[in-house]
mmCIF file of all heavy atoms in Angstrom:
data_model
loop_
_atom_site.group_PDB
_atom_site.id
_atom_site.type_symbol
_atom_site.label_atom_id
_atom_site.label_comp_id
_atom_site.label_asym_id
_atom_site.label_seq_id
_atom_site.Cartn_x
_atom_site.Cartn_y
_atom_site.Cartn_z
ATOM 1 N N THR A 394 23.341 -1.288 -13.159
ATOM 2 C CA THR A 394 23.816 0.072 -13.385
ATOM 3 C C THR A 394 23.948 0.895 -12.088
ATOM 4 O O THR A 394 24.889 1.625 -11.889
ATOM 5 C CB THR A 394 22.913 0.794 -14.357
ATOM 6 O OG1 THR A 394 22.799 0.069 -15.598
ATOM 7 C CG2 THR A 394 23.424 2.198 -14.670
ATOM 8 N N HIS A 395 22.916 0.773 -11.222
ATOM 9 C CA HIS A 395 22.854 1.685 -10.082
ATOM 10 C C HIS A 395 23.058 0.989 -8.729
ATOM 11 O O HIS A 395 23.065 1.663 -7.695
ATOM 12 C CB HIS A 395 21.489 2.379 -10.060
ATOM 13 C CG HIS A 395 21.192 3.141 -11.309
ATOM 14 N ND1 HIS A 395 21.846 4.265 -11.664
ATOM 15 C CD2 HIS A 395 20.277 2.908 -12.276
ATOM 16 C CE1 HIS A 395 21.359 4.756 -12.804
ATOM 17 N NE2 HIS A 395 20.425 3.927 -13.224
ATOM 18 N N GLY A 396 23.262 -0.328 -8.736
ATOM 19 C CA GLY A 396 23.520 -1.013 -7.463
ATOM 20 C C GLY A 396 22.238 -1.539 -6.836
ATOM 21 O O GLY A 396 21.145 -1.151 -7.177
ATOM 22 N N GLY A 397 22.445 -2.422 -5.869
ATOM 23 C CA GLY A 397 21.288 -3.103 -5.245
ATOM 24 C C GLY A 397 20.575 -2.270 -4.236
ATOM 25 O O GLY A 397 19.394 -2.585 -3.897
ATOM 26 N N THR A 398 21.178 -1.193 -3.707
ATOM 27 C CA THR A 398 20.506 -0.418 -2.652
ATOM 28 C C THR A 398 19.184 0.109 -3.136
ATOM 29 O O THR A 398 18.175 0.093 -2.398
ATOM 30 C CB THR A 398 21.411 0.786 -2.245
ATOM 31 O OG1 THR A 398 22.590 0.264 -1.635
ATOM 32 C CG2 THR A 398 20.704 1.645 -1.210
ATOM 33 N N TRP A 399 19.106 0.606 -4.346
ATOM 34 C CA TRP A 399 17.861 1.187 -4.877
ATOM 35 C C TRP A 399 16.804 0.118 -5.148
ATOM 36 O O TRP A 399 15.610 0.412 -5.078
ATOM 37 C CB TRP A 399 18.100 2.029 -6.117
ATOM 38 C CG TRP A 399 19.048 3.173 -5.844
ATOM 39 C CD1 TRP A 399 20.223 3.441 -6.448
ATOM 40 C CD2 TRP A 399 18.836 4.200 -4.880
ATOM 41 N NE1 TRP A 399 20.799 4.540 -5.928
ATOM 42 C CE2 TRP A 399 19.983 5.053 -4.933
ATOM 43 C CE3 TRP A 399 17.854 4.479 -3.937
ATOM 44 C CZ2 TRP A 399 20.185 6.177 -4.106
ATOM 45 C CZ3 TRP A 399 18.005 5.585 -3.099
ATOM 46 C CH2 TRP A 399 19.146 6.379 -3.211
ATOM 47 N N ILE A 400 17.237 -1.085 -5.428
ATOM 48 C CA ILE A 400 16.242 -2.175 -5.557
ATOM 49 C C ILE A 400 15.662 -2.525 -4.175
ATOM 50 O O ILE A 400 14.481 -2.751 -4.053
ATOM 51 C CB ILE A 400 16.902 -3.433 -6.208
ATOM 52 C CG1 ILE A 400 17.523 -3.090 -7.563
ATOM 53 C CG2 ILE A 400 15.884 -4.549 -6.364
ATOM 54 C CD1 ILE A 400 16.520 -2.654 -8.619
ATOM 55 N N PHE A 401 16.582 -2.567 -3.175
ATOM 56 C CA PHE A 401 16.058 -2.760 -1.799
ATOM 57 C C PHE A 401 15.078 -1.669 -1.452
ATOM 58 O O PHE A 401 14.001 -1.924 -0.840
ATOM 59 C CB PHE A 401 17.193 -2.789 -0.824
ATOM 60 C CG PHE A 401 17.910 -4.105 -0.742
ATOM 61 C CD1 PHE A 401 19.266 -4.218 -0.987
ATOM 62 C CD2 PHE A 401 17.205 -5.266 -0.353
ATOM 63 C CE1 PHE A 401 19.883 -5.442 -0.885
ATOM 64 C CE2 PHE A 401 17.861 -6.465 -0.266
ATOM 65 C CZ PHE A 401 19.186 -6.578 -0.536
ATOM 66 N N TRP A 402 15.413 -0.428 -1.752
ATOM 67 C CA TRP A 402 14.534 0.705 -1.454
ATOM 68 C C TRP A 402 13.186 0.501 -2.100
ATOM 69 O O TRP A 402 12.131 0.635 -1.488
ATOM 70 C CB TRP A 402 15.166 1.988 -1.924
ATOM 71 C CG TRP A 402 14.264 3.176 -2.081
ATOM 72 C CD1 TRP A 402 13.656 3.845 -1.056
ATOM 73 C CD2 TRP A 402 13.825 3.823 -3.245
ATOM 74 N NE1 TRP A 402 12.863 4.871 -1.521
ATOM 75 C CE2 TRP A 402 12.965 4.870 -2.910
ATOM 76 C CE3 TRP A 402 14.105 3.597 -4.644
ATOM 77 C CZ2 TRP A 402 12.359 5.685 -3.846
ATOM 78 C CZ3 TRP A 402 13.535 4.416 -5.541
ATOM 79 C CH2 TRP A 402 12.658 5.447 -5.157
ATOM 80 N N LEU A 403 13.153 0.133 -3.378
ATOM 81 C CA LEU A 403 11.949 -0.083 -4.146
ATOM 82 C C LEU A 403 11.106 -1.195 -3.483
ATOM 83 O O LEU A 403 9.897 -1.013 -3.238
ATOM 84 C CB LEU A 403 12.256 -0.463 -5.603
ATOM 85 C CG LEU A 403 11.067 -0.910 -6.416
ATOM 86 C CD1 LEU A 403 10.130 0.302 -6.698
ATOM 87 C CD2 LEU A 403 11.531 -1.498 -7.751
ATOM 88 N N VAL A 404 11.727 -2.319 -3.205
ATOM 89 C CA VAL A 404 11.047 -3.453 -2.624
ATOM 90 C C VAL A 404 10.481 -3.101 -1.215
ATOM 91 O O VAL A 404 9.322 -3.427 -0.903
ATOM 92 C CB VAL A 404 11.944 -4.678 -2.552
ATOM 93 C CG1 VAL A 404 11.278 -5.811 -1.757
ATOM 94 C CG2 VAL A 404 12.295 -5.154 -3.935
ATOM 95 N N ILE A 405 11.293 -2.426 -0.406
ATOM 96 C CA ILE A 405 10.816 -2.078 0.916
ATOM 97 C C ILE A 405 9.643 -1.087 0.870
ATOM 98 O O ILE A 405 8.692 -1.181 1.654
ATOM 99 C CB ILE A 405 11.963 -1.481 1.761
ATOM 100 C CG1 ILE A 405 13.031 -2.565 2.003
ATOM 101 C CG2 ILE A 405 11.462 -0.949 3.095
ATOM 102 C CD1 ILE A 405 14.297 -2.058 2.633
ATOM 103 N N VAL A 406 9.702 -0.119 -0.034
ATOM 104 C CA VAL A 406 8.600 0.808 -0.236
ATOM 105 C C VAL A 406 7.316 0.054 -0.548
ATOM 106 O O VAL A 406 6.253 0.316 0.025
ATOM 107 C CB VAL A 406 8.897 1.839 -1.349
ATOM 108 C CG1 VAL A 406 7.616 2.541 -1.802
ATOM 109 C CG2 VAL A 406 9.910 2.867 -0.847
ATOM 110 N N VAL A 407 7.415 -0.917 -1.452
ATOM 111 C CA VAL A 407 6.252 -1.690 -1.871
ATOM 112 C C VAL A 407 5.728 -2.556 -0.702
ATOM 113 O O VAL A 407 4.522 -2.622 -0.424
ATOM 114 C CB VAL A 407 6.550 -2.584 -3.069
ATOM 115 C CG1 VAL A 407 5.384 -3.520 -3.413
ATOM 116 C CG2 VAL A 407 6.867 -1.688 -4.293
ATOM 117 N N VAL A 408 6.651 -3.192 0.024
ATOM 118 C CA VAL A 408 6.270 -4.080 1.133
ATOM 119 C C VAL A 408 5.606 -3.232 2.266
ATOM 120 O O VAL A 408 4.576 -3.610 2.796
ATOM 121 C CB VAL A 408 7.478 -4.866 1.659
ATOM 122 C CG1 VAL A 408 7.100 -5.563 2.986
ATOM 123 C CG2 VAL A 408 7.956 -5.887 0.658
ATOM 124 N N VAL A 409 6.243 -2.109 2.598
ATOM 125 C CA VAL A 409 5.676 -1.301 3.647
ATOM 126 C C VAL A 409 4.342 -0.747 3.233
ATOM 127 O O VAL A 409 3.401 -0.634 4.051
ATOM 128 C CB VAL A 409 6.651 -0.115 3.996
ATOM 129 C CG1 VAL A 409 5.991 0.922 4.871
ATOM 130 C CG2 VAL A 409 7.908 -0.662 4.689
ATOM 131 N N THR A 410 4.186 -0.379 1.962
ATOM 132 C CA THR A 410 2.899 0.102 1.475
ATOM 133 C C THR A 410 1.841 -0.933 1.655
ATOM 134 O O THR A 410 0.703 -0.688 2.143
ATOM 135 C CB THR A 410 2.946 0.469 -0.024
ATOM 136 O OG1 THR A 410 3.863 1.603 -0.199
ATOM 137 C CG2 THR A 410 1.649 0.827 -0.577
ATOM 138 N N ASP A 411 2.153 -2.175 1.341
ATOM 139 C CA ASP A 411 1.205 -3.306 1.445
ATOM 140 C C ASP A 411 0.909 -3.614 2.868
ATOM 141 O O ASP A 411 -0.276 -3.770 3.265
ATOM 142 C CB ASP A 411 1.805 -4.528 0.735
ATOM 143 C CG ASP A 411 0.799 -5.691 0.758
ATOM 144 O OD1 ASP A 411 -0.303 -5.508 0.217
ATOM 145 O OD2 ASP A 411 1.142 -6.803 1.243
ATOM 146 N N VAL A 412 1.918 -3.676 3.753
ATOM 147 C CA VAL A 412 1.701 -4.033 5.133
ATOM 148 C C VAL A 412 0.945 -2.896 5.903
ATOM 149 O O VAL A 412 -0.035 -3.199 6.650
ATOM 150 C CB VAL A 412 3.065 -4.290 5.863
ATOM 151 C CG1 VAL A 412 2.863 -4.449 7.342
ATOM 152 C CG2 VAL A 412 3.736 -5.562 5.247
ATOM 153 N N ALA A 413 1.344 -1.649 5.713
ATOM 154 C CA ALA A 413 0.669 -0.568 6.313
ATOM 155 C C ALA A 413 -0.799 -0.473 5.892
ATOM 156 O O ALA A 413 -1.702 -0.271 6.713
ATOM 157 C CB ALA A 413 1.376 0.726 6.031
ATOM 158 N N GLY A 414 -1.009 -0.688 4.614
ATOM 159 C CA GLY A 414 -2.391 -0.666 4.094
ATOM 160 C C GLY A 414 -3.195 -1.787 4.614
ATOM 161 O O GLY A 414 -4.409 -1.631 4.958
ATOM 162 N N TYR A 415 -2.611 -2.982 4.781
ATOM 163 C CA TYR A 415 -3.312 -4.143 5.240
ATOM 164 C C TYR A 415 -3.813 -3.936 6.717
ATOM 165 O O TYR A 415 -4.995 -4.094 7.012
ATOM 166 C CB TYR A 415 -2.400 -5.376 5.228
ATOM 167 C CG TYR A 415 -3.010 -6.654 5.738
ATOM 168 C CD1 TYR A 415 -3.762 -7.473 4.905
ATOM 169 C CD2 TYR A 415 -2.828 -7.022 7.047
ATOM 170 C CE1 TYR A 415 -4.317 -8.634 5.389
ATOM 171 C CE2 TYR A 415 -3.385 -8.206 7.559
ATOM 172 C CZ TYR A 415 -4.135 -9.030 6.700
ATOM 173 O OH TYR A 415 -4.712 -10.177 7.224
ATOM 174 N N PHE A 416 -2.887 -3.499 7.581
ATOM 175 C CA PHE A 416 -3.245 -3.345 8.974
ATOM 176 C C PHE A 416 -4.123 -2.100 9.203
ATOM 177 O O PHE A 416 -5.136 -2.152 9.962
ATOM 178 C CB PHE A 416 -2.003 -3.251 9.819
ATOM 179 C CG PHE A 416 -1.333 -4.604 10.054
ATOM 180 C CD1 PHE A 416 -0.239 -4.977 9.361
ATOM 181 C CD2 PHE A 416 -1.894 -5.485 10.960
ATOM 182 C CE1 PHE A 416 0.368 -6.210 9.542
ATOM 183 C CE2 PHE A 416 -1.317 -6.742 11.171
ATOM 184 C CZ PHE A 416 -0.209 -7.118 10.454
ATOM 185 N N ALA A 417 -3.805 -0.990 8.533
ATOM 186 C CA ALA A 417 -4.607 0.231 8.758
ATOM 187 C C ALA A 417 -6.002 0.043 8.221
ATOM 188 O O ALA A 417 -7.014 0.489 8.854
ATOM 189 C CB ALA A 417 -3.936 1.410 8.063
ATOM 190 N N GLY A 418 -6.140 -0.661 7.073
ATOM 191 C CA GLY A 418 -7.458 -0.870 6.513
ATOM 192 C C GLY A 418 -8.327 -1.724 7.426
ATOM 193 O O GLY A 418 -9.552 -1.511 7.526
ATOM 194 N N ARG A 419 -7.723 -2.740 8.063
ATOM 195 C CA ARG A 419 -8.489 -3.621 8.948
ATOM 196 C C ARG A 419 -8.735 -3.045 10.320
ATOM 197 O O ARG A 419 -9.708 -3.378 10.994
ATOM 198 C CB ARG A 419 -7.801 -4.999 9.008
ATOM 199 C CG ARG A 419 -8.127 -5.845 7.778
ATOM 200 C CD ARG A 419 -7.068 -6.938 7.573
ATOM 201 N NE ARG A 419 -7.403 -7.745 6.388
ATOM 202 C CZ ARG A 419 -7.289 -7.323 5.142
ATOM 203 N NH1 ARG A 419 -6.823 -6.130 4.895
ATOM 204 N NH2 ARG A 419 -7.648 -8.108 4.153
ATOM 205 N N ILE A 420 -7.829 -2.205 10.747
ATOM 206 C CA ILE A 420 -7.979 -1.597 12.095
ATOM 207 C C ILE A 420 -8.889 -0.381 12.032
ATOM 208 O O ILE A 420 -9.826 -0.247 12.870
ATOM 209 C CB ILE A 420 -6.625 -1.163 12.650
ATOM 210 C CG1 ILE A 420 -5.777 -2.417 12.986
ATOM 211 C CG2 ILE A 420 -6.811 -0.333 13.951
ATOM 212 C CD1 ILE A 420 -4.315 -2.088 13.367
ATOM 213 N N PHE A 421 -8.707 0.505 11.082
ATOM 214 C CA PHE A 421 -9.493 1.729 10.997
ATOM 215 C C PHE A 421 -10.660 1.658 10.037
ATOM 216 O O PHE A 421 -11.692 2.337 10.233
ATOM 217 C CB PHE A 421 -8.534 2.914 10.591
ATOM 218 C CG PHE A 421 -7.436 3.126 11.513
ATOM 219 C CD1 PHE A 421 -6.123 2.802 11.111
ATOM 220 C CD2 PHE A 421 -7.658 3.594 12.812
ATOM 221 C CE1 PHE A 421 -5.042 3.015 11.964
ATOM 222 C CE2 PHE A 421 -6.567 3.787 13.700
ATOM 223 C CZ PHE A 421 -5.267 3.483 13.269
ATOM 224 N N GLY A 422 -10.519 0.852 9.010
ATOM 225 C CA GLY A 422 -11.647 0.739 8.022
ATOM 226 C C GLY A 422 -11.908 2.084 7.365
ATOM 227 O O GLY A 422 -11.006 2.823 7.019
ATOM 228 N N GLY A 423 -13.171 2.395 7.227
ATOM 229 C CA GLY A 423 -13.588 3.673 6.627
ATOM 230 C C GLY A 423 -13.957 3.572 5.168
ATOM 231 O O GLY A 423 -14.140 2.484 4.650
ATOM 232 N N PRO A 424 -14.059 4.713 4.496
ATOM 233 C CA PRO A 424 -14.481 4.735 3.111
ATOM 234 C C PRO A 424 -13.559 3.954 2.214
ATOM 235 O O PRO A 424 -12.336 3.894 2.426
ATOM 236 C CB PRO A 424 -14.423 6.253 2.762
ATOM 237 C CG PRO A 424 -14.488 6.940 4.051
ATOM 238 C CD PRO A 424 -13.815 6.064 5.046
ATOM 239 N N LYS A 425 -14.130 3.383 1.156
ATOM 240 C CA LYS A 425 -13.318 2.603 0.213
ATOM 241 C C LYS A 425 -12.641 3.503 -0.790
ATOM 242 O O LYS A 425 -13.166 4.555 -1.197
ATOM 243 C CB LYS A 425 -14.248 1.643 -0.554
ATOM 244 C CG LYS A 425 -14.984 0.662 0.339
ATOM 245 C CD LYS A 425 -14.060 -0.216 1.156
ATOM 246 C CE LYS A 425 -14.855 -1.208 1.983
ATOM 247 N NZ LYS A 425 -13.986 -2.089 2.793
ATOM 248 N N PHE A 426 -11.422 3.130 -1.210
ATOM 249 C CA PHE A 426 -10.648 3.910 -2.123
ATOM 250 C C PHE A 426 -11.206 3.836 -3.537
ATOM 251 O O PHE A 426 -11.363 4.872 -4.198
ATOM 252 C CB PHE A 426 -9.196 3.399 -2.126
ATOM 253 C CG PHE A 426 -8.272 4.163 -3.072
ATOM 254 C CD1 PHE A 426 -7.836 5.435 -2.768
ATOM 255 C CD2 PHE A 426 -7.835 3.584 -4.218
ATOM 256 C CE1 PHE A 426 -7.011 6.142 -3.588
ATOM 257 C CE2 PHE A 426 -6.991 4.266 -5.114
ATOM 258 C CZ PHE A 426 -6.584 5.553 -4.814
ATOM 259 N N TRP A 427 -11.564 2.669 -4.000
ATOM 260 C CA TRP A 427 -12.127 2.486 -5.301
ATOM 261 C C TRP A 427 -12.983 1.235 -5.291
ATOM 262 O O TRP A 427 -12.590 0.179 -5.805
ATOM 263 C CB TRP A 427 -11.018 2.375 -6.354
ATOM 264 C CG TRP A 427 -11.455 2.641 -7.800
ATOM 265 C CD1 TRP A 427 -12.726 2.595 -8.321
ATOM 266 C CD2 TRP A 427 -10.593 3.027 -8.864
ATOM 267 N NE1 TRP A 427 -12.720 2.919 -9.613
ATOM 268 C CE2 TRP A 427 -11.417 3.177 -9.998
ATOM 269 C CE3 TRP A 427 -9.236 3.285 -8.993
ATOM 270 C CZ2 TRP A 427 -10.930 3.567 -11.221
ATOM 271 C CZ3 TRP A 427 -8.723 3.615 -10.253
ATOM 272 C CH2 TRP A 427 -9.559 3.782 -11.334
ATOM 273 N N PRO A 428 -14.160 1.291 -4.690
ATOM 274 C CA PRO A 428 -14.950 0.101 -4.392
ATOM 275 C C PRO A 428 -15.324 -0.734 -5.591
ATOM 276 O O PRO A 428 -15.452 -1.938 -5.464
ATOM 277 C CB PRO A 428 -16.231 0.670 -3.690
ATOM 278 C CG PRO A 428 -16.280 2.090 -4.044
ATOM 279 C CD PRO A 428 -14.840 2.539 -4.217
ATOM 280 N N ARG A 429 -15.518 -0.086 -6.775
ATOM 281 C CA ARG A 429 -15.934 -0.860 -7.944
ATOM 282 C C ARG A 429 -14.835 -1.775 -8.414
ATOM 283 O O ARG A 429 -15.088 -2.813 -9.042
ATOM 284 C CB ARG A 429 -16.317 0.105 -9.089
ATOM 285 C CG ARG A 429 -17.645 0.832 -8.848
ATOM 286 C CD ARG A 429 -18.035 1.635 -10.052
ATOM 287 N NE ARG A 429 -18.177 0.792 -11.233
ATOM 288 C CZ ARG A 429 -18.304 1.264 -12.498
ATOM 289 N NH1 ARG A 429 -18.310 2.550 -12.687
ATOM 290 N NH2 ARG A 429 -18.402 0.457 -13.516
ATOM 291 N N ILE A 430 -13.615 -1.408 -8.202
ATOM 292 C CA ILE A 430 -12.473 -2.161 -8.697
ATOM 293 C C ILE A 430 -11.832 -3.001 -7.590
ATOM 294 O O ILE A 430 -11.540 -4.159 -7.773
ATOM 295 C CB ILE A 430 -11.418 -1.244 -9.301
ATOM 296 C CG1 ILE A 430 -12.010 -0.413 -10.464
ATOM 297 C CG2 ILE A 430 -10.208 -2.025 -9.849
ATOM 298 C CD1 ILE A 430 -12.524 -1.213 -11.606
ATOM 299 N N SER A 431 -11.578 -2.386 -6.434
ATOM 300 C CA SER A 431 -10.861 -3.065 -5.340
ATOM 301 C C SER A 431 -11.678 -2.819 -4.044
ATOM 302 O O SER A 431 -11.395 -1.884 -3.288
ATOM 303 C CB SER A 431 -9.460 -2.539 -5.189
ATOM 304 O OG SER A 431 -8.730 -3.265 -4.220
ATOM 305 N N PRO A 432 -12.731 -3.644 -3.797
ATOM 306 C CA PRO A 432 -13.622 -3.412 -2.656
ATOM 307 C C PRO A 432 -13.006 -3.478 -1.297
ATOM 308 O O PRO A 432 -13.582 -2.951 -0.343
ATOM 309 C CB PRO A 432 -14.686 -4.509 -2.877
ATOM 310 C CG PRO A 432 -14.035 -5.555 -3.665
ATOM 311 C CD PRO A 432 -13.093 -4.814 -4.577
ATOM 312 N N LYS A 433 -11.811 -4.087 -1.146
ATOM 313 C CA LYS A 433 -11.204 -4.192 0.160
ATOM 314 C C LYS A 433 -10.276 -3.009 0.477
ATOM 315 O O LYS A 433 -9.909 -2.803 1.613
ATOM 316 C CB LYS A 433 -10.372 -5.493 0.248
ATOM 317 C CG LYS A 433 -11.257 -6.756 0.241
ATOM 318 C CD LYS A 433 -10.390 -7.969 0.420
ATOM 319 C CE LYS A 433 -11.244 -9.250 0.486
ATOM 320 N NZ LYS A 433 -10.357 -10.431 0.676
ATOM 321 N N LYS A 434 -9.884 -2.257 -0.545
ATOM 322 C CA LYS A 434 -8.910 -1.181 -0.298
ATOM 323 C C LYS A 434 -9.603 0.078 0.245
ATOM 324 O O LYS A 434 -10.553 0.551 -0.360
ATOM 325 C CB LYS A 434 -8.192 -0.839 -1.638
ATOM 326 C CG LYS A 434 -6.991 0.076 -1.415
ATOM 327 C CD LYS A 434 -6.280 0.334 -2.737
ATOM 328 C CE LYS A 434 -5.590 -0.941 -3.254
ATOM 329 N NZ LYS A 434 -4.559 -1.446 -2.403
ATOM 330 N N THR A 435 -9.146 0.562 1.361
ATOM 331 C CA THR A 435 -9.758 1.684 2.028
ATOM 332 C C THR A 435 -8.836 2.947 1.912
ATOM 333 O O THR A 435 -7.639 2.795 1.651
ATOM 334 C CB THR A 435 -9.994 1.433 3.513
ATOM 335 O OG1 THR A 435 -8.725 1.227 4.145
ATOM 336 C CG2 THR A 435 -10.875 0.207 3.702
ATOM 337 N N TRP A 436 -9.410 4.113 2.133
ATOM 338 C CA TRP A 436 -8.618 5.328 2.132
ATOM 339 C C TRP A 436 -7.625 5.330 3.313
ATOM 340 O O TRP A 436 -6.519 5.817 3.204
ATOM 341 C CB TRP A 436 -9.514 6.569 2.214
ATOM 342 C CG TRP A 436 -9.905 7.072 0.873
ATOM 343 C CD1 TRP A 436 -11.129 6.941 0.256
ATOM 344 C CD2 TRP A 436 -9.069 7.786 -0.032
ATOM 345 N NE1 TRP A 436 -11.114 7.548 -0.975
ATOM 346 C CE2 TRP A 436 -9.850 8.051 -1.188
ATOM 347 C CE3 TRP A 436 -7.745 8.209 -0.032
ATOM 348 C CZ2 TRP A 436 -9.349 8.739 -2.319
ATOM 349 C CZ3 TRP A 436 -7.249 8.898 -1.124
ATOM 350 C CH2 TRP A 436 -8.024 9.144 -2.234
ATOM 351 N N SER A 437 -8.035 4.728 4.442
ATOM 352 C CA SER A 437 -7.138 4.707 5.617
ATOM 353 C C SER A 437 -5.902 3.878 5.278
ATOM 354 O O SER A 437 -4.757 4.242 5.615
ATOM 355 C CB SER A 437 -7.858 4.148 6.814
ATOM 356 O OG SER A 437 -8.323 2.809 6.575
ATOM 357 N N GLY A 438 -6.089 2.741 4.616
ATOM 358 C CA GLY A 438 -4.971 1.884 4.239
ATOM 359 C C GLY A 438 -4.124 2.537 3.171
ATOM 360 O O GLY A 438 -2.883 2.399 3.170
ATOM 361 N N THR A 439 -4.769 3.232 2.245
ATOM 362 C CA THR A 439 -4.052 3.873 1.109
ATOM 363 C C THR A 439 -3.124 4.971 1.702
ATOM 364 O O THR A 439 -1.927 5.038 1.380
ATOM 365 C CB THR A 439 -5.033 4.487 0.170
ATOM 366 O OG1 THR A 439 -5.876 3.440 -0.384
ATOM 367 C CG2 THR A 439 -4.308 5.191 -0.976
ATOM 368 N N VAL A 440 -3.653 5.839 2.548
ATOM 369 C CA VAL A 440 -2.854 6.918 3.114
ATOM 370 C C VAL A 440 -1.772 6.387 4.024
ATOM 371 O O VAL A 440 -0.649 6.881 4.035
ATOM 372 C CB VAL A 440 -3.779 7.904 3.852
ATOM 373 C CG1 VAL A 440 -2.916 8.955 4.604
ATOM 374 C CG2 VAL A 440 -4.755 8.569 2.901
ATOM 375 N N ALA A 441 -2.082 5.279 4.774
ATOM 376 C CA ALA A 441 -1.081 4.688 5.628
ATOM 377 C C ALA A 441 0.090 4.172 4.805
ATOM 378 O O ALA A 441 1.245 4.234 5.216
ATOM 379 C CB ALA A 441 -1.697 3.555 6.444
#
């Protein structure tokens, strides 16, 4: 209906979110976002 551009946008947003969170979380560390559920996810990675 809307073309492939918006699918690319969606996928890139998700990939960048994952990559930025992966590197920021391991470089900066800091407080956990939700330690009881996802102990590796940090606020630094989330905001990144």
